[in-house]
Amino acid sequence: PFHPKLKESWKLLSRAYQKRREFELAIQSEIAIYLEFPTQREGFEAFLEAGRAHLKQGNWEMSQRIFQEIVNQSYFPEIARAA
């Protein structure tokens, strides 16, 4: 088990990296959340943010794959619609 504040720490890092336009590091932080919480709302929201960061990087193909995976697997219709 991880520390209870680990998810919040990853989110904070992701926001800081995005502000500095270090999208690859932001993606890594969001993917870490998704991998830790793959079936929970927080995990899918993090995966969606990773897709958006790929878009900001100009990586259209990877963002499209992430968005499609969210649509196919998400248990949360509002997140799937956002993708």
Side-chain angles (χ1 to χ4, degrees), residues 2-10:
F2 292 102
H3 190 279
K5 299 278 185 179
L6 186 59
K7 180 176 52 175
E8 291 176 40
S9 300
W10 279 327

Side-chain angles (χ1 to χ4, degrees), residues 51-70:
R52 289 175 176 161
H54 276 292
L55 273 177
K56 291 176 184 174
Q57 253 185 329
N59 191 346
W60 311 111
E61 184 178 313
M62 181 58 82
S63 64
Q64 183 64 32
R65 286 194 299 186
I66 289 173
F67 296 150
Q68 190 59 51
E69 191 169 333
I70 291 170

Side-chain angles (χ1 to χ4, degrees), residues 11-71:
K11 265 299 186 205
L12 183 64
L13 281 171
S14 176
R15 283 193 300 268
Y17 289 140
Q18 288 205 34
K19 283 183 181 180
R20 295 182 63 185
R21 304 188 59 77
E22 295 182 35
F23 298 116
E24 193 58 42
L25 294 172
I27 291 166
Q28 289 175 18
S29 298
E30 296 293 350
I31 293 295
I33 296 170
Y34 173 69
L35 292 175
E36 188 59 33
F37 305 97
T39 60
Q40 296 178 17
R41 173 179 294 281
E42 295 89 349
F44 279 102
E45 287 173 345
F47 204 34
L48 180 62
E49 286 303 316
R52 289 175 176 161
H54 276 292
L55 273 177
K56 291 176 184 174
Q57 253 185 329
N59 191 346
W60 311 111
E61 184 178 313
M62 181 58 82
S63 64
Q64 183 64 32
R65 286 194 299 186
I66 289 173
F67 296 150
Q68 190 59 51
E69 191 169 333
I70 291 170
V71 168

